Amino acid sequence: MTVREPCPWTVRGTTAEEYPEVARVLGEALLLPAETLVEHERRDPLAEHDRTLVALDGDRIVGTAASYALTLTVPGGPRPAAGVTGVGVWPTRRRRGVLTALMHRQLADVRARGENLAVLWASEGGIYGRFGYGLSSREARITVSRAHAALRPDAPRDPALTVDLFAPGEARAALAEVHRRTVADRNGRFVRADKWWPHLLRDDERSRGEAGHLLAALVTGPEGPEGYALYRVRDRWELGTPRARVLVTEVVTTTPAARVALYEHLFSRDLTVETVFHDLPLDDPLPDLLVDRGQAAVTPFDGLWTRLVDLPGALGERAYAAPVDVALTVIDRCAPWNAGTWRLTVDDEGARCVPDAGPADLTVDVSHLGAAYFGRRALAGFVGAGLVAEHTPGAARRLDTALYEPLEPHCGVDF
């Protein structure tokens, strides 16, 4: 029997007064100026200090991990979730178990708060799988040249809609209303409390990069706002010829016609040669709306990583597309309360996930269940890769059918 060595790191909570030291560690880990982090937090408070953990080497902070309390759209509706953020280890204390100590403590704290899920964006994809997170969504950058930006003649257009341009602060209430009305349309989105808007609409020099001021294009109909796009224009000239680019950070609409109106506005800016949408759902309708869909250059990138913190709670609160009855032996090295065999039953009475003493249909790491949670990554693919063991033929496909969701998840906010 292997005896686990005691953890050499003390992990505890922190306070707002300690944030400059937390920012020093986080900034060095993520190659960000600590002063900028402190200034942003002073001006637009976003951190939840009562959800921030630090690891100590003596009295010195050498690691951090934090989370936001989110209301996250999952199959079946909005649910409480932890949005993990602010994870970093001082460079000379890496690979000594600091991150492991923080992740284990954070999972226990999240569970104690009654949040069955945790989600995060990973700066490096190889980090979080060993802590039970699975890549559950992919998003897309789409680039369209001005020469090929014509939309189909049968694209839905509504002459009653108007598009106007604002500084984002001038239209913040309308932006928030549109987002609130659409947050349940896509799994992976979360309800934006007021504190998120200053962060998302930040327009300082660092946010602009080489581009101009942030702009908000607002679509309005007879009943009020129906959509918006946030974007900047990067001015550029070559040999006396305009070569500017439209850089879009977000498009949110309540109707297809509002989306078409925004696309046509973004494609029609004078002196520009292309429009780049930095973050769209992987199945965004834009390519299908173009006269030539092949002219949309689509670059996928990793989105949310999802962790089932309380496995029976997370599987039991989710909606399903079909009945299923399957026994899962779950491997979970960081959350021992999840490890063991569970029977997931979905029928007319709902979903139940309870301990089971019988043989398993599948043996699966909790990270693969996290990857499959939003219904767009198939467990059958992990079976084919040899990462999930299928003991009952067809069990993975049956579970995939029950988990299936027709739309790709999309968060749209890198926190």
Side-chain angles (χ1 to χ4, degrees):
M1 176 176 156
T2 301
V3 178
R4 179 178 293 181
E5 293 292 329
C7 176
W9 311 107
T10 298
V11 177
R12 63 163 171 81
T14 186
T15 63
E17 288 71 28
E18 283 188 306
Y19 186 74
E21 184 61 22
V22 171
R24 175 174 173 266
V25 174
L26 183 61
E28 197 62 44
L30 299 182
L31 308 181
L32 297 171
E35 307 80 34
T36 301
L37 295 175
V38 172
E39 174 59 21
H40 285 169
E41 176 59 17
R42 183 195 65 78
R43 189 174 64 235
D44 301 319
L46 188 59
E48 299 185 24
H49 299 290
D50 62 331
R51 299 175 64 104
T52 299
L53 298 171
V54 294
L56 302 179
D57 186 353
D59 294 330
R60 179 185 173 189
I61 295 176
V62 295
T64 75
S67 68
Y68 301 117
L70 303 181
T71 300
L72 184 73
T73 300
V74 305
R79 299 288 187 270
V84 175
T85 187
V87 179
V89 175
W90 190 252
T92 59
R93 298 299 187 275
R94 295 172 60 250
R95 305 190 186 283
R96 299 189 188 182
V98 176
L99 181 58
T100 298
L102 286 164
M103 291 289 98
H104 281 239
R105 168 66 182 273
Q106 186 180 63
L107 286 171
D109 286 0
V110 169
R111 184 185 184 225
R113 290 189 178 97
E115 296 159 346
N116 295 327
L117 288 176
V119 293
L120 59 80
W121 293 78
S123 55
E124 295 181 72
I127 296 175
Y128 291 98
R130 68 182 187 271
F131 302 118
Y133 288 84
L135 179 62
S136 57
S137 76
R138 304 199 77 202
E139 305 190 0
R141 184 180 73 179
I142 300 181
T143 302
V144 181
S145 70
R146 179 72 176 266
H148 299 101
L151 300 187
R152 295 167 54 106
D154 59 346
R157 294 171 173 88
D158 184 351
L161 298 179
T162 60
V163 180
D164 207 347
L165 205 57
F166 298 91
E170 299 172 334
R172 176 173 158 177
L175 306 184
E177 178 186 342
V178 170
H179 190 271
R180 177 186 56 77
R181 290 164 57 193
T182 60
V183 69
D185 294 347
R186 286 268 180 179
N187 295 317
R189 291 181 180 170
F190 62 87
V191 176
R192 291 182 185 171
D194 287 344
K195 68 178 182 179
W196 282 94
W197 287 101
H199 170 73
L200 297 170
L201 303 181
R202 187 176 294 153
D203 197 25
D204 55 18
E205 185 175 349
R206 182 179 178 85
S207 303
R208 293 180 203 133
E210 298 179 358
H213 290 282
L214 187 64
L215 299 168
L218 183 67
V219 180
T220 305
E223 303 301 321
E226 294 191 16
Y228 67 85
L230 299 175
Y231 72 96
R232 306 177 191 273
V233 178
R234 180 179 295 169
D235 189 23
R236 183 180 176 186
W237 291 72
E238 293 181 0
L239 301 176
T241 302
R243 306 285 295 175
R245 305 169 77 205
V246 177
L247 308 177
V248 186
T249 57
E250 185 168 58
V251 178
V252 180
T253 62
T254 62
T255 65
R259 181 171 290 270
V260 168
L262 285 172
Y263 286 156
E264 293 190 322
H265 165 75
L266 295 166
F267 292 148
S268 67
R269 287 299 307 257
D270 289 339
L271 310 181
T272 64
V273 295
E274 69 179 11
T275 302
V276 182
F277 299 84
H278 281 281
D279 191 343
L280 291 176
L282 197 58
D283 57 356
D284 191 87
L286 173 56
D288 290 323
L289 289 167
L290 295 173
V291 169
D292 183 354
R293 76 177 320 277
Q295 297 299 326
V298 180
T299 305
F301 60 90
D302 290 352
L304 287 181
W305 292 67
T306 299
R307 215 297 181 185
L308 277 59
V309 177
D310 187 279
L311 184 138
L315 292 179
E317 71 182 5
R318 189 194 187 281
Y320 293 82
V324 72
D325 183 45
V326 61
L328 308 169
T329 292
V330 177
I331 301 167
D332 195 332
R333 300 171 183 84
C334 298
W337 54 84
N338 286 335
T341 301
W342 303 85
R343 179 164 294 277
L344 174 64
T345 304
V346 178
D347 54 27
D348 291 341
E349 297 180 2
R352 301 172 299 285
C353 186
V354 298
D356 190 78
D361 300 305
L362 295 166
T363 297
V364 56
D365 190 88
V366 71
S367 64
H368 298 130
L369 289 175
Y373 190 77
F374 284 119
R376 295 297 298 182
R377 293 201 69 193
L379 288 168
F382 294 120
V383 172
L387 300 174
V388 169
E390 185 176 58
H391 310 298
T392 302
R397 291 182 180 273
R398 290 193 298 275
L399 183 52
D400 285 335
T401 298
L403 292 167
Y404 177 75
E405 284 287 310
L407 294 179
E408 294 282 352
H410 177 252
C411 179
V413 178
D414 187 342
F415 50 81

PDB file of all heavy atoms in Angstrom, residues 19-50:
ATOM      1  N   TYR A  19      -4.726  41.286  -1.983  1.00  0.00           N
ATOM      2  CA  TYR A  19      -4.781  41.147  -3.432  1.00  0.00           C
ATOM      3  C   TYR A  19      -3.503  41.599  -4.138  1.00  0.00           C
ATOM      4  O   TYR A  19      -3.090  40.957  -5.111  1.00  0.00           O
ATOM      5  CB  TYR A  19      -5.989  41.886  -4.018  1.00  0.00           C
ATOM      6  CG  TYR A  19      -6.125  41.633  -5.504  1.00  0.00           C
ATOM      7  CD1 TYR A  19      -6.581  40.401  -5.967  1.00  0.00           C
ATOM      8  CD2 TYR A  19      -5.743  42.588  -6.437  1.00  0.00           C
ATOM      9  CE1 TYR A  19      -6.669  40.133  -7.316  1.00  0.00           C
ATOM     10  CE2 TYR A  19      -5.834  42.331  -7.792  1.00  0.00           C
ATOM     11  CZ  TYR A  19      -6.296  41.104  -8.233  1.00  0.00           C
ATOM     12  OH  TYR A  19      -6.374  40.836  -9.562  1.00  0.00           O
ATOM     13  N   PRO A  20      -2.827  42.684  -3.726  1.00  0.00           N
ATOM     14  CA  PRO A  20      -1.580  43.040  -4.424  1.00  0.00           C
ATOM     15  C   PRO A  20      -0.558  41.907  -4.442  1.00  0.00           C
ATOM     16  O   PRO A  20       0.129  41.702  -5.447  1.00  0.00           O
ATOM     17  CB  PRO A  20      -1.078  44.256  -3.638  1.00  0.00           C
ATOM     18  CG  PRO A  20      -2.326  44.891  -3.119  1.00  0.00           C
ATOM     19  CD  PRO A  20      -3.221  43.727  -2.754  1.00  0.00           C
ATOM     20  N   GLU A  21      -0.459  41.140  -3.348  1.00  0.00           N
ATOM     21  CA  GLU A  21       0.473  40.014  -3.336  1.00  0.00           C
ATOM     22  C   GLU A  21      -0.046  38.865  -4.204  1.00  0.00           C
ATOM     23  O   GLU A  21       0.728  38.193  -4.890  1.00  0.00           O
ATOM     24  CB  GLU A  21       0.693  39.530  -1.901  1.00  0.00           C
ATOM     25  CG  GLU A  21       1.725  38.428  -1.761  1.00  0.00           C
ATOM     26  CD  GLU A  21       3.123  38.827  -2.227  1.00  0.00           C
ATOM     27  OE1 GLU A  21       3.422  40.039  -2.272  1.00  0.00           O
ATOM     28  OE2 GLU A  21       3.907  37.916  -2.550  1.00  0.00           O
ATOM     29  N   VAL A  22      -1.356  38.652  -4.172  1.00  0.00           N
ATOM     30  CA  VAL A  22      -1.945  37.656  -5.079  1.00  0.00           C
ATOM     31  C   VAL A  22      -1.671  38.054  -6.524  1.00  0.00           C
ATOM     32  O   VAL A  22      -1.282  37.222  -7.357  1.00  0.00           O
ATOM     33  CB  VAL A  22      -3.466  37.542  -4.822  1.00  0.00           C
ATOM     34  CG1 VAL A  22      -4.132  36.682  -5.894  1.00  0.00           C
ATOM     35  CG2 VAL A  22      -3.736  36.956  -3.444  1.00  0.00           C
ATOM     36  N   ALA A  23      -1.848  39.333  -6.846  1.00  0.00           N
ATOM     37  CA  ALA A  23      -1.616  39.824  -8.212  1.00  0.00           C
ATOM     38  C   ALA A  23      -0.153  39.676  -8.610  1.00  0.00           C
ATOM     39  O   ALA A  23       0.158  39.400  -9.780  1.00  0.00           O
ATOM     40  CB  ALA A  23      -2.060  41.277  -8.324  1.00  0.00           C
ATOM     41  N   ARG A  24       0.740  39.851  -7.663  1.00  0.00           N
ATOM     42  CA  ARG A  24       2.172  39.682  -7.969  1.00  0.00           C
ATOM     43  C   ARG A  24       2.457  38.255  -8.431  1.00  0.00           C
ATOM     44  O   ARG A  24       3.155  38.033  -9.429  1.00  0.00           O
ATOM     45  CB  ARG A  24       3.005  40.018  -6.728  1.00  0.00           C
ATOM     46  CG  ARG A  24       4.491  39.767  -6.863  1.00  0.00           C
ATOM     47  CD  ARG A  24       5.239  40.264  -5.640  1.00  0.00           C
ATOM     48  NE  ARG A  24       6.642  39.892  -5.673  1.00  0.00           N
ATOM     49  CZ  ARG A  24       7.140  38.802  -5.096  1.00  0.00           C
ATOM     50  NH1 ARG A  24       6.319  37.978  -4.424  1.00  0.00           N
ATOM     51  NH2 ARG A  24       8.432  38.517  -5.165  1.00  0.00           N
ATOM     52  N   VAL A  25       1.918  37.273  -7.714  1.00  0.00           N
ATOM     53  CA  VAL A  25       2.133  35.871  -8.086  1.00  0.00           C
ATOM     54  C   VAL A  25       1.430  35.559  -9.396  1.00  0.00           C
ATOM     55  O   VAL A  25       2.009  34.952 -10.311  1.00  0.00           O
ATOM     56  CB  VAL A  25       1.644  34.942  -6.957  1.00  0.00           C
ATOM     57  CG1 VAL A  25       1.718  33.474  -7.393  1.00  0.00           C
ATOM     58  CG2 VAL A  25       2.461  35.165  -5.693  1.00  0.00           C
ATOM     59  N   LEU A  26       0.178  35.979  -9.511  1.00  0.00           N
ATOM     60  CA  LEU A  26      -0.589  35.679 -10.715  1.00  0.00           C
ATOM     61  C   LEU A  26       0.021  36.353 -11.937  1.00  0.00           C
ATOM     62  O   LEU A  26       0.126  35.751 -13.012  1.00  0.00           O
ATOM     63  CB  LEU A  26      -2.042  36.135 -10.525  1.00  0.00           C
ATOM     64  CG  LEU A  26      -2.999  35.837 -11.663  1.00  0.00           C
ATOM     65  CD1 LEU A  26      -3.098  34.337 -11.909  1.00  0.00           C
ATOM     66  CD2 LEU A  26      -4.384  36.418 -11.360  1.00  0.00           C
ATOM     67  N   GLY A  27       0.419  37.620 -11.780  1.00  0.00           N
ATOM     68  CA  GLY A  27       1.010  38.328 -12.902  1.00  0.00           C
ATOM     69  C   GLY A  27       2.293  37.680 -13.381  1.00  0.00           C
ATOM     70  O   GLY A  27       2.530  37.558 -14.586  1.00  0.00           O
ATOM     71  N   GLU A  28       3.139  37.239 -12.453  1.00  0.00           N
ATOM     72  CA  GLU A  28       4.392  36.591 -12.851  1.00  0.00           C
ATOM     73  C   GLU A  28       4.122  35.258 -13.527  1.00  0.00           C
ATOM     74  O   GLU A  28       4.807  34.872 -14.495  1.00  0.00           O
ATOM     75  CB  GLU A  28       5.290  36.395 -11.629  1.00  0.00           C
ATOM     76  CG  GLU A  28       6.740  36.124 -11.960  1.00  0.00           C
ATOM     77  CD  GLU A  28       7.388  37.272 -12.717  1.00  0.00           C
ATOM     78  OE1 GLU A  28       7.175  38.448 -12.338  1.00  0.00           O
ATOM     79  OE2 GLU A  28       8.116  36.977 -13.705  1.00  0.00           O
ATOM     80  N   ALA A  29       3.115  34.530 -13.051  1.00  0.00           N
ATOM     81  CA  ALA A  29       2.792  33.225 -13.641  1.00  0.00           C
ATOM     82  C   ALA A  29       2.225  33.369 -15.051  1.00  0.00           C
ATOM     83  O   ALA A  29       2.507  32.555 -15.941  1.00  0.00           O
ATOM     84  CB  ALA A  29       1.808  32.483 -12.747  1.00  0.00           C
ATOM     85  N   LEU A  30       1.400  34.400 -15.263  1.00  0.00           N
ATOM     86  CA  LEU A  30       0.716  34.573 -16.549  1.00  0.00           C
ATOM     87  C   LEU A  30       1.376  35.622 -17.431  1.00  0.00           C
ATOM     88  O   LEU A  30       0.843  35.979 -18.484  1.00  0.00           O
ATOM     89  CB  LEU A  30      -0.750  34.954 -16.309  1.00  0.00           C
ATOM     90  CG  LEU A  30      -1.592  33.937 -15.536  1.00  0.00           C
ATOM     91  CD1 LEU A  30      -3.026  34.420 -15.408  1.00  0.00           C
ATOM     92  CD2 LEU A  30      -1.541  32.567 -16.199  1.00  0.00           C
ATOM     93  N   LEU A  31       2.530  36.140 -17.000  1.00  0.00           N
ATOM     94  CA  LEU A  31       3.278  37.134 -17.773  1.00  0.00           C
ATOM     95  C   LEU A  31       2.464  38.401 -17.989  1.00  0.00           C
ATOM     96  O   LEU A  31       2.442  38.983 -19.078  1.00  0.00           O
ATOM     97  CB  LEU A  31       3.736  36.544 -19.122  1.00  0.00           C
ATOM     98  CG  LEU A  31       4.501  35.210 -19.037  1.00  0.00           C
ATOM     99  CD1 LEU A  31       4.925  34.759 -20.427  1.00  0.00           C
ATOM    100  CD2 LEU A  31       5.710  35.323 -18.115  1.00  0.00           C
ATOM    101  N   LEU A  32       1.795  38.838 -16.927  1.00  0.00           N
ATOM    102  CA  LEU A  32       1.010  40.059 -16.946  1.00  0.00           C
ATOM    103  C   LEU A  32       1.570  41.021 -15.901  1.00  0.00           C
ATOM    104  O   LEU A  32       2.035  40.584 -14.845  1.00  0.00           O
ATOM    105  CB  LEU A  32      -0.462  39.772 -16.621  1.00  0.00           C
ATOM    106  CG  LEU A  32      -1.231  38.886 -17.591  1.00  0.00           C
ATOM    107  CD1 LEU A  32      -2.590  38.540 -16.994  1.00  0.00           C
ATOM    108  CD2 LEU A  32      -1.405  39.586 -18.929  1.00  0.00           C
ATOM    109  N   PRO A  33       1.520  42.338 -16.153  1.00  0.00           N
ATOM    110  CA  PRO A  33       1.989  43.287 -15.136  1.00  0.00           C
ATOM    111  C   PRO A  33       1.090  43.256 -13.912  1.00  0.00           C
ATOM    112  O   PRO A  33      -0.125  43.455 -14.014  1.00  0.00           O
ATOM    113  CB  PRO A  33       1.905  44.645 -15.858  1.00  0.00           C
ATOM    114  CG  PRO A  33       1.788  44.332 -17.310  1.00  0.00           C
ATOM    115  CD  PRO A  33       1.107  43.009 -17.402  1.00  0.00           C
ATOM    116  N   ALA A  34       1.665  43.016 -12.758  1.00  0.00           N
ATOM    117  CA  ALA A  34       0.876  42.977 -11.527  1.00  0.00           C
ATOM    118  C   ALA A  34       0.188  44.309 -11.279  1.00  0.00           C
ATOM    119  O   ALA A  34      -0.943  44.353 -10.785  1.00  0.00           O
ATOM    120  CB  ALA A  34       1.764  42.602 -10.343  1.00  0.00           C
ATOM    121  N   GLU A  35       0.857  45.419 -11.637  1.00  0.00           N
ATOM    122  CA  GLU A  35       0.267  46.734 -11.404  1.00  0.00           C
ATOM    123  C   GLU A  35      -1.024  46.902 -12.204  1.00  0.00           C
ATOM    124  O   GLU A  35      -1.982  47.533 -11.735  1.00  0.00           O
ATOM    125  CB  GLU A  35       1.253  47.844 -11.793  1.00  0.00           C
ATOM    126  CG  GLU A  35       2.618  47.730 -11.149  1.00  0.00           C
ATOM    127  CD  GLU A  35       3.518  46.709 -11.844  1.00  0.00           C
ATOM    128  OE1 GLU A  35       3.438  46.547 -13.072  1.00  0.00           O
ATOM    129  OE2 GLU A  35       4.285  46.047 -11.112  1.00  0.00           O
ATOM    130  N   THR A  36      -1.045  46.334 -13.408  1.00  0.00           N
ATOM    131  CA  THR A  36      -2.252  46.421 -14.232  1.00  0.00           C
ATOM    132  C   THR A  36      -3.395  45.645 -13.595  1.00  0.00           C
ATOM    133  O   THR A  36      -4.542  46.111 -13.564  1.00  0.00           O
ATOM    134  CB  THR A  36      -1.972  45.875 -15.647  1.00  0.00           C
ATOM    135  OG1 THR A  36      -0.917  46.636 -16.243  1.00  0.00           O
ATOM    136  CG2 THR A  36      -3.219  45.962 -16.520  1.00  0.00           C
ATOM    137  N   LEU A  37      -3.098  44.453 -13.072  1.00  0.00           N
ATOM    138  CA  LEU A  37      -4.131  43.664 -12.406  1.00  0.00           C
ATOM    139  C   LEU A  37      -4.687  44.411 -11.205  1.00  0.00           C
ATOM    140  O   LEU A  37      -5.910  44.431 -10.983  1.00  0.00           O
ATOM    141  CB  LEU A  37      -3.556  42.320 -11.961  1.00  0.00           C
ATOM    142  CG  LEU A  37      -3.097  41.356 -13.065  1.00  0.00           C
ATOM    143  CD1 LEU A  37      -2.434  40.131 -12.452  1.00  0.00           C
ATOM    144  CD2 LEU A  37      -4.256  40.945 -13.952  1.00  0.00           C
ATOM    145  N   VAL A  38      -3.805  45.028 -10.427  1.00  0.00           N
ATOM    146  CA  VAL A  38      -4.247  45.750  -9.238  1.00  0.00           C
ATOM    147  C   VAL A  38      -5.084  46.961  -9.632  1.00  0.00           C
ATOM    148  O   VAL A  38      -6.130  47.244  -9.027  1.00  0.00           O
ATOM    149  CB  VAL A  38      -3.039  46.176  -8.392  1.00  0.00           C
ATOM    150  CG1 VAL A  38      -3.478  47.101  -7.258  1.00  0.00           C
ATOM    151  CG2 VAL A  38      -2.342  44.947  -7.816  1.00  0.00           C
ATOM    152  N   GLU A  39      -4.671  47.678 -10.685  1.00  0.00           N
ATOM    153  CA  GLU A  39      -5.409  48.857 -11.116  1.00  0.00           C
ATOM    154  C   GLU A  39      -6.786  48.477 -11.646  1.00  0.00           C
ATOM    155  O   GLU A  39      -7.787  49.132 -11.342  1.00  0.00           O
ATOM    156  CB  GLU A  39      -4.622  49.601 -12.196  1.00  0.00           C
ATOM    157  CG  GLU A  39      -5.352  50.770 -12.839  1.00  0.00           C
ATOM    158  CD  GLU A  39      -5.759  51.842 -11.838  1.00  0.00           C
ATOM    159  OE1 GLU A  39      -5.151  51.905 -10.744  1.00  0.00           O
ATOM    160  OE2 GLU A  39      -6.685  52.615 -12.143  1.00  0.00           O
ATOM    161  N   HIS A  40      -6.856  47.417 -12.430  1.00  0.00           N
ATOM    162  CA  HIS A  40      -8.154  46.961 -12.932  1.00  0.00           C
ATOM    163  C   HIS A  40      -9.074  46.566 -11.783  1.00  0.00           C
ATOM    164  O   HIS A  40     -10.269  46.865 -11.801  1.00  0.00           O
ATOM    165  CB  HIS A  40      -7.970  45.787 -13.889  1.00  0.00           C
ATOM    166  CG  HIS A  40      -7.462  46.188 -15.233  1.00  0.00           C
ATOM    167  ND1 HIS A  40      -7.013  45.270 -16.167  1.00  0.00           N
ATOM    168  CD2 HIS A  40      -7.338  47.400 -15.827  1.00  0.00           C
ATOM    169  CE1 HIS A  40      -6.628  45.914 -17.264  1.00  0.00           C
ATOM    170  NE2 HIS A  40      -6.819  47.193 -17.072  1.00  0.00           N
ATOM    171  N   GLU A  41      -8.517  45.885 -10.793  1.00  0.00           N
ATOM    172  CA  GLU A  41      -9.340  45.465  -9.658  1.00  0.00           C
ATOM    173  C   GLU A  41      -9.793  46.671  -8.838  1.00  0.00           C
ATOM    174  O   GLU A  41     -10.905  46.697  -8.312  1.00  0.00           O
ATOM    175  CB  GLU A  41      -8.552  44.481  -8.786  1.00  0.00           C
ATOM    176  CG  GLU A  41      -9.264  44.042  -7.523  1.00  0.00           C
ATOM    177  CD  GLU A  41     -10.599  43.356  -7.786  1.00  0.00           C
ATOM    178  OE1 GLU A  41     -10.846  42.915  -8.930  1.00  0.00           O
ATOM    179  OE2 GLU A  41     -11.401  43.271  -6.850  1.00  0.00           O
ATOM    180  N   ARG A  42      -8.936  47.685  -8.738  1.00  0.00           N
ATOM    181  CA  ARG A  42      -9.320  48.890  -8.004  1.00  0.00           C
ATOM    182  C   ARG A  42     -10.434  49.639  -8.723  1.00  0.00           C
ATOM    183  O   ARG A  42     -11.393  50.108  -8.104  1.00  0.00           O
ATOM    184  CB  ARG A  42      -8.101  49.811  -7.841  1.00  0.00           C
ATOM    185  CG  ARG A  42      -8.376  51.072  -7.025  1.00  0.00           C
ATOM    186  CD  ARG A  42      -7.279  52.093  -7.192  1.00  0.00           C
ATOM    187  NE  ARG A  42      -7.219  52.593  -8.562  1.00  0.00           N
ATOM    188  CZ  ARG A  42      -8.066  53.502  -9.051  1.00  0.00           C
ATOM    189  NH1 ARG A  42      -9.038  53.988  -8.304  1.00  0.00           N
ATOM    190  NH2 ARG A  42      -7.946  53.905 -10.300  1.00  0.00           N
ATOM    191  N   ARG A  43     -10.325  49.725 -10.074  1.00  0.00           N
ATOM    192  CA  ARG A  43     -11.275  50.513 -10.843  1.00  0.00           C
ATOM    193  C   ARG A  43     -12.573  49.760 -11.112  1.00  0.00           C
ATOM    194  O   ARG A  43     -13.664  50.318 -11.006  1.00  0.00           O
ATOM    195  CB  ARG A  43     -10.626  50.937 -12.163  1.00  0.00           C
ATOM    196  CG  ARG A  43     -11.448  51.945 -12.953  1.00  0.00           C
ATOM    197  CD  ARG A  43     -10.690  52.445 -14.166  1.00  0.00           C
ATOM    198  NE  ARG A  43     -10.430  51.378 -15.115  1.00  0.00           N
ATOM    199  CZ  ARG A  43      -9.219  51.058 -15.572  1.00  0.00           C
ATOM    200  NH1 ARG A  43      -8.152  51.717 -15.159  1.00  0.00           N
ATOM    201  NH2 ARG A  43      -9.062  50.081 -16.439  1.00  0.00           N
ATOM    202  N   ASP A  44     -12.452  48.502 -11.511  1.00  0.00           N
ATOM    203  CA  ASP A  44     -13.630  47.685 -11.859  1.00  0.00           C
ATOM    204  C   ASP A  44     -13.559  46.374 -11.089  1.00  0.00           C
ATOM    205  O   ASP A  44     -13.123  45.357 -11.628  1.00  0.00           O
ATOM    206  CB  ASP A  44     -13.681  47.408 -13.364  1.00  0.00           C
ATOM    207  CG  ASP A  44     -13.749  48.661 -14.196  1.00  0.00           C
ATOM    208  OD1 ASP A  44     -14.471  49.584 -13.802  1.00  0.00           O
ATOM    209  OD2 ASP A  44     -13.078  48.720 -15.249  1.00  0.00           O
ATOM    210  N   PRO A  45     -13.957  46.363  -9.819  1.00  0.00           N
ATOM    211  CA  PRO A  45     -13.815  45.144  -9.009  1.00  0.00           C
ATOM    212  C   PRO A  45     -14.560  43.960  -9.621  1.00  0.00           C
ATOM    213  O   PRO A  45     -15.746  44.036  -9.895  1.00  0.00           O
ATOM    214  CB  PRO A  45     -14.424  45.550  -7.664  1.00  0.00           C
ATOM    215  CG  PRO A  45     -14.367  47.043  -7.633  1.00  0.00           C
ATOM    216  CD  PRO A  45     -14.547  47.468  -9.059  1.00  0.00           C
ATOM    217  N   LEU A  46     -13.825  42.884  -9.856  1.00  0.00           N
ATOM    218  CA  LEU A  46     -14.422  41.672 -10.411  1.00  0.00           C
ATOM    219  C   LEU A  46     -14.085  40.453  -9.552  1.00  0.00           C
ATOM    220  O   LEU A  46     -14.852  39.503  -9.486  1.00  0.00           O
ATOM    221  CB  LEU A  46     -13.922  41.468 -11.847  1.00  0.00           C
ATOM    222  CG  LEU A  46     -14.566  40.368 -12.679  1.00  0.00           C
ATOM    223  CD1 LEU A  46     -16.064  40.586 -12.820  1.00  0.00           C
ATOM    224  CD2 LEU A  46     -13.918  40.277 -14.052  1.00  0.00           C
ATOM    225  N   ALA A  47     -12.930  40.495  -8.888  1.00  0.00           N
ATOM    226  CA  ALA A  47     -12.507  39.347  -8.080  1.00  0.00           C
ATOM    227  C   ALA A  47     -13.469  39.121  -6.913  1.00  0.00           C
ATOM    228  O   ALA A  47     -14.036  40.062  -6.361  1.00  0.00           O
ATOM    229  CB  ALA A  47     -11.096  39.578  -7.546  1.00  0.00           C
ATOM    230  N   GLU A  48     -13.644  37.853  -6.572  1.00  0.00           N
ATOM    231  CA  GLU A  48     -14.441  37.474  -5.407  1.00  0.00           C
ATOM    232  C   GLU A  48     -13.459  36.944  -4.369  1.00  0.00           C
ATOM    233  O   GLU A  48     -13.104  35.778  -4.358  1.00  0.00           O
ATOM    234  CB  GLU A  48     -15.497  36.438  -5.801  1.00  0.00           C
ATOM    235  CG  GLU A  48     -16.464  36.983  -6.848  1.00  0.00           C
ATOM    236  CD  GLU A  48     -17.597  36.021  -7.180  1.00  0.00           C
ATOM    237  OE1 GLU A  48     -17.916  35.165  -6.335  1.00  0.00           O
ATOM    238  OE2 GLU A  48     -18.153  36.130  -8.284  1.00  0.00           O
ATOM    239  N   HIS A  49     -13.009  37.851  -3.504  1.00  0.00           N
ATOM    240  CA  HIS A  49     -11.900  37.533  -2.607  1.00  0.00           C
ATOM    241  C   HIS A  49     -12.247  36.420  -1.631  1.00  0.00           C
ATOM    242  O   HIS A  49     -11.351  35.688  -1.180  1.00  0.00           O
ATOM    243  CB  HIS A  49     -11.455  38.796  -1.873  1.00  0.00           C
ATOM    244  CG  HIS A  49     -10.981  39.877  -2.789  1.00  0.00           C
ATOM    245  ND1 HIS A  49      -9.802  39.787  -3.503  1.00  0.00           N
ATOM    246  CD2 HIS A  49     -11.547  41.067  -3.146  1.00  0.00           C
ATOM    247  CE1 HIS A  49      -9.644  40.876  -4.235  1.00  0.00           C
ATOM    248  NE2 HIS A  49     -10.693  41.666  -4.043  1.00  0.00           N
ATOM    249  N   ASP A  50     -13.522  36.268  -1.291  1.00  0.00           N
ATOM    250  CA  ASP A  50     -13.890  35.183  -0.394  1.00  0.00           C
ATOM    251  C   ASP A  50     -13.868  33.829  -1.103  1.00  0.00           C
ATOM    252  O   ASP A  50     -14.036  32.793  -0.453  1.00  0.00           O
ATOM    253  CB  ASP A  50     -15.272  35.435   0.214  1.00  0.00           C
ATOM    254  CG  ASP A  50     -16.372  35.501  -0.833  1.00  0.00           C
ATOM    255  OD1 ASP A  50     -16.086  35.903  -1.973  1.00  0.00           O
ATOM    256  OD2 ASP A  50     -17.520  35.146  -0.507  1.00  0.00           O
TER     257      ASP A  50
END
